[in-house]
């Protein structure tokens, strides 16, 4: 039987990586085989592209950047996510298509439809079964990310408040458009409260 594919989405500092780890640990306790991964990256080819995308001194047009994210995703889906699901494993992915659609598409002004088209063949039929959207207000997420990273804030965190708000609004819109795939969670709550809510949602929707 095919495994379940769960993605976590939300702004920087929303708690995605924290909750991905807690969800994976909880599923493993129950005997579920879990593959934890993240985007951009997840395979050697995709990680190489990720490194290029995070270089501050490599100027890229928005279109070039969108194609690189899609190229990384194609490798990640084909070489890691799809085979794991076919083996019955569950895959938990920290950021996926919705981050690309929100950052490059909605907030980056490329347009969601253009970015979706660029990504369609990279994903094929491997859409998430469940997407957990962690919502925070901009300040909460940014403060957590700065505390976590010290001086090492990537360029997404450095972008202005309007950009983060556009991203947050895009995530909300995607969740409203696809309520069957998305679950919206208040990421401002403490870590254990959020984890418990996620466990309830996963139990209800996928078990
Ligand atoms: N619910 C929470 N309340 C308080 N701090 C949190 C919460 N979730 C995560 N954190 C902390 O905030 C920082 C950012 O969390 P992280 O999981 O790395 O966010 P993301 O992956 O979404 O950027 C980390 O230092 C983490 O320990
Ligand atoms: Mg993270």
């Amino acid at each position: 039987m095919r495994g379940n594919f769960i993605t976590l989405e939300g702004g920087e500092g929303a708690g995605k990586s924290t909750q991905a780890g807690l969800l994976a640990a909880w599923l493993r306790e129950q005997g579920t085989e879990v593959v934890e991964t993240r985007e951009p990256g997840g395979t050697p080819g995709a990680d190489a592209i990720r490194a290029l995308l995070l270089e501050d001194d490599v100027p890229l047009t928005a279109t070039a950047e969108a194609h690189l994210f899609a190229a990384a995703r194609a490798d990640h889906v084909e070489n890691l996510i799809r085979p794991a699901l076919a083996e019955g494993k569950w895959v938990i992915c920290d950021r996926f298509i919705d981050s690309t659609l929100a950052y490059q598409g909605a907030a980056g002004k490329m347009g969601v439809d253009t970015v979706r088209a660029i990504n369609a063949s990279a994903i094929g039929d491997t859409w998430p079964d469940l997407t957990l959207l962690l919502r925070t207000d901009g300040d909460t997420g940014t403060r957590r990310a700065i505390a976590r990273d010290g001086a090492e804030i990537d360029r997404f965190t450095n972008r202005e408040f309007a950009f983060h708000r556009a991203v947050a609004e895009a995530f909300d819109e995607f969740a409203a458009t696809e309520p069957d795939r998305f679950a919206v969670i208040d990421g401002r709550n403490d870590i254990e409260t959020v984890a418990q809510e996620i466990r309830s949602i996963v139990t209800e929707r996928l078990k």
Side-chain angles (χ1 to χ4, degrees), residues 113-137:
D113 291 342
T114 304
V115 178
R116 196 189 296 273
I118 289 170
N119 277 274
S121 71
I123 294 182
D125 60 359
T126 308
W127 277 79
D129 300 295
L130 174 63
T131 297
L132 303 164
L133 173 58
L134 295 174
R135 292 186 87 240
T136 53
D137 53 84

Side-chain angles (χ1 to χ4, degrees), residues 11-18 94 144-145 148 187 189-191 194:
E12 268 302 301
K16 300 177 297 299
S17 301
T18 301
D94 187 345
R144 284 183 194 163
R148 179 195 60 197
N189 290 324
D190 64 81
I191 290 175
V194 175

Side-chain angles (χ1 to χ4, degrees), residues 34-173:
V34 181
V35 173
E36 278 182 84
T37 188
R38 62 151 195 213
E39 286 210 339
T43 55
D47 278 333
I49 298 169
R50 174 194 174 94
L52 178 60
L53 281 162
L54 296 180
E55 287 271 346
D56 270 334
D57 54 359
V58 177
L60 289 168
T61 67
T63 305
E65 191 176 274
H67 279 276
L68 279 176
F69 273 104
R73 176 161 301 131
D75 194 72
H76 189 208
V77 168
E78 202 167 317
N79 287 322
L80 185 87
I81 297 174
R82 196 175 290 148
L85 293 170
E87 289 168 12
K89 294 171 185 161
W90 288 37
V91 176
I92 297 176
C93 189
D94 187 345
R95 291 198 185 278
F96 194 61
I97 178 70
D98 301 293
S99 281
T100 314
L101 295 175
Y103 285 87
Q104 280 76 50
K109 311 296 180 217
M110 272 199 76
V112 172
D113 291 342
T114 304
V115 178
R116 196 189 296 273
I118 289 170
N119 277 274
S121 71
I123 294 182
D125 60 359
T126 308
W127 277 79
D129 300 295
L130 174 63
T131 297
L132 303 164
L133 173 58
L134 295 174
R135 292 186 87 240
T136 53
D137 53 84
D139 281 359
T140 303
T142 304
R143 258 188 282 111
R144 284 183 194 163
I146 289 169
R148 179 195 60 197
D149 300 344
E152 283 198 49
I153 304 163
D154 74 25
R155 60 187 163 150
F156 291 146
T157 309
N158 276 326
R159 289 185 196 179
E160 72 278 17
F161 182 69
F163 185 87
H164 288 288
R165 196 169 51 207
V167 167
E169 282 171 6
F171 280 134
D172 285 347
E173 201 180 303

